[in-house]
Amino acid sequence: MTEDILVNITPQETRVAIVQQGAVQELHIERTLSRGLVGNIYLGKVDRVLPGMQSAFVDIGLERAAFLHVADIWQPREGKDAKTPAQPIEKILFECQALMVQVIKDPIGTKGARLSTQISIAGRTLVFLPHDSHVGVSQKIGDEQSREALRARVQALLPTESGGGLIVRTIAEEASDSELANDVAYLRKTWSTIRQRASTLPAPALLYQDLSLAERVLRDFAGETTTQTQVDSRENFLKLEAFAAEYMPAVSNKLRHYSGERPIFDLFNIETEIARALSRRVDLKSGGYLIIDQTEALTTIDVNTGGYVGARNFDDTIFKTNLEAAQMIARQLRLRNLGGIIVIDFIDMENPEHRQAVLAELNRALSRDRARHTVNDFSPLGLVEMTRKRTRESLSHLLCEPCPTCMGKGEVKTARTVCYDILREIVRESRQFNPREFRIIAPLAVIDLFLEDESQHLAMLCDFVGKPISLQVESNMGPEQYDVVLM
């Protein structure tokens, strides 16, 4: 399936939309002030070693210390258990130790970045592993004969005295020997520069910053299926053109500078799609809809028939809605970049064949997803549980923040509940203080209730505390806010 890549660049942020058949499939946003850290290499300083957790906190110059687990520490070992830690962390690290580390997961919420000492530097077709010595091939290349042929090609290009290993990316299948050789040279030169900086700079220090979002898009996404990549900034278009000419000439002729009068994201109604991707409700063409809720632990997706009554009977209506929902769910996961545990509550289906068809449709729609994922069968409760690898913030976490009124609950107290909170507050205050008068300062909806439905209760409270109670409207207060002033 062919795709267009649209790149919108401003001084404050870069936004990339991947469009297939006129519909936005993925959105990537990188803000100048909060650029992603995954791939960055630092000279860090060990803050604390925690033997009980077999982990350490490492200062890499960020607001929060980063996290390093013993499983992510490279150690020179031999044999079948080469990936199993040979020593406990307290025998490997010590406080104030300088350590070269790479970010493998961005800070998310209150968690600091996650680190590894297994350095890897990605190129267009290859990934360089300075501490390793073998040549591996991407698991996505399934044919063993092709894998061995590709491994032999790459090994033939390596200098005999070279150290380090390589992982051959899927895209290398289509690369020429010269492209592979250029990648090897670029990666080794980059590593040499990193080592030189590490030997001269004090910790903590940034040694290497990953490519910009626009450059990563060219490296990772642009390919044979790409019709064109349009960039709306002339300055950045020239930079990308030079970058593509050096590292990926095959996509250079698909790079375009967009100079139209309309904003580039208006071409495919992308601004509207972004607004929809921030909503809980997603409408389906049939009349059904999804409700998507993100929580700290997992994401839930509920499928509803809504107003869809187009099929011959109710079972067919449910089946067709679930099929359409499966396609939309796969798209929304990519669009919103939802990761972690995802629980899908499809509409209950009695027919086992319908269940398997819906599950097959979900897997088919997810097959285009670049993020690693697993999908389980229907549970005894009729739920589909799946996981999707999370490496960066979701779209809503990137663009939104919790509502200051409800503090992320999604609900606020009713005006009547606030009235009763205020009445209880006055009783508490009357037992501790002896003012001339109590004044209630609250939003209009609360004051209106005190003047109407709750006027009798307010009068009873005046008699009970033996003090007058006056009312004052404060329009700037939120629905749950109020103040009881002692006069």
Side-chain angles (χ1 to χ4, degrees), residues 205-268:
L206 174 64
L207 304 178
Y208 167 81
Q209 188 169 30
D210 198 17
L211 299 176
S212 68
L213 174 59
E215 291 167 333
R216 293 198 307 274
V217 164
L218 278 189
R219 183 190 71 190
D220 298 337
F221 300 157
E224 286 187 356
T225 58
T226 306
T227 305
Q228 59 182 347
T229 300
Q230 299 191 63
V231 186
D232 66 356
S233 162
R234 178 71 181 172
E235 178 186 352
N236 285 278
F237 165 74
L238 295 175
K239 290 180 181 177
L240 289 176
E241 194 175 42
F243 178 79
E246 184 173 357
Y247 297 113
M248 51 209 70
V251 302
S252 288
N253 60 345
K254 298 179 180 180
L255 201 55
R256 304 278 186 274
H257 173 231
Y258 175 77
S259 57
E261 291 186 5
R262 293 178 64 200
I264 190 170
F265 269 27
D266 286 359
L267 290 178
F268 292 96

Side-chain angles (χ1 to χ4, degrees), residues 134-165:
H134 78 288
V135 175
V137 181
S138 168
Q139 295 294 327
K140 291 184 179 180
I141 303 175
D143 180 45
E144 188 60 34
Q145 189 173 353
S146 299
R147 291 165 60 85
E148 287 304 319
L150 200 50
R151 182 182 283 108
R153 282 179 60 201
V154 172
Q155 284 176 329
L157 296 170
L158 287 173
T160 54
E161 75 285 355
S162 70

Side-chain angles (χ1 to χ4, degrees), residues 29-47:
I29 299 175
E30 181 178 85
R31 291 183 168 168
T32 306
L33 294 177
S34 56
R35 186 171 167 182
L37 305 176
V38 172
N40 286 5
I41 299 173
Y42 294 86
L43 185 64
K45 185 169 67 174
V46 178
D47 262 356

Side-chain angles (χ1 to χ4, degrees), residues 413 417-430 461 482:
K413 291 180 179 179
T417 301
V418 176
C419 282
Y420 295 167
D421 286 344
I422 292 171
L423 296 179
R424 284 190 291 270
E425 177 70 18
I426 291 174
V427 171
R428 279 194 296 270
E429 296 288 348
S430 68
L461 183 62
Y482 66 86

